């Protein structure tokens, strides 16, 4: 099962997102649930880097693990844009969890 924890600031803004595990929906390399979650999360990290020149993930080589965050040293404009990307990502992740709840669980607090 993929476990996703979305931590929010008191204002409701995304502070960090932690993704752990494997869906085990299908065979390795053919797991559409894992591919969906990975594509959403990795696509968001690549968009932040390519469009905003901001790294929003913690570099950790462990398989089945990704930590995303809003860097504290950003100017207001880039912080807002990163927040928009993370908000879009969480909407997409919730859509996957709604469709494949036996394989993806989200704690959004």
């Amino acid at each position: 099962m993929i476990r996703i924890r979305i931590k929010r600031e008191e204002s409701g803004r995304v502070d960090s997102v932690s993704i752990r595990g494997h869906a085990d929906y299908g065979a390795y390399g053919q797991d559409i649930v894992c591919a969906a979650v990975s594509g959403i999360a990795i696509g968001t990290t690549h968009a932040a880097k390519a469009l905003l020149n901001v790294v929003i993930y913690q570099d950790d080589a462990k398989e089945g693990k990704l930590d995303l965050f809003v860097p504290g040293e950003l100017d207001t404009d880039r912080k807002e844009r990163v927040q928009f990307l993370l908000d879009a990502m969480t909407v997409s992740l919730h859509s996957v969890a709604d469709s494949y709840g036996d394989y993806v669980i989200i704690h959004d607090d």
Side-chain angles (χ1 to χ4, degrees), residues 4 43 66 76 103 107:
I4 301 169
L66 182 61
T76 302
Y103 304 94
H107 298 284

Side-chain angles (χ1 to χ4, degrees), residues 2-48:
I2 297 175
R3 292 177 178 7
I4 301 169
R5 167 134 347 246
I6 301 166
K7 291 191 178 184
R8 295 184 181 271
E9 297 174 353
E10 195 171 296
S11 65
R13 297 167 59 91
V14 174
D15 182 55
S16 65
V17 179
S18 172
I19 303 172
R20 301 281 185 279
H22 296 282
D24 295 323
Y25 178 81
Y28 182 80
Q30 299 178 0
D31 189 327
I32 63 170
V33 177
C34 190
V37 170
S38 295
I40 292 164
I42 292 169
T44 301
T45 66
H46 288 192

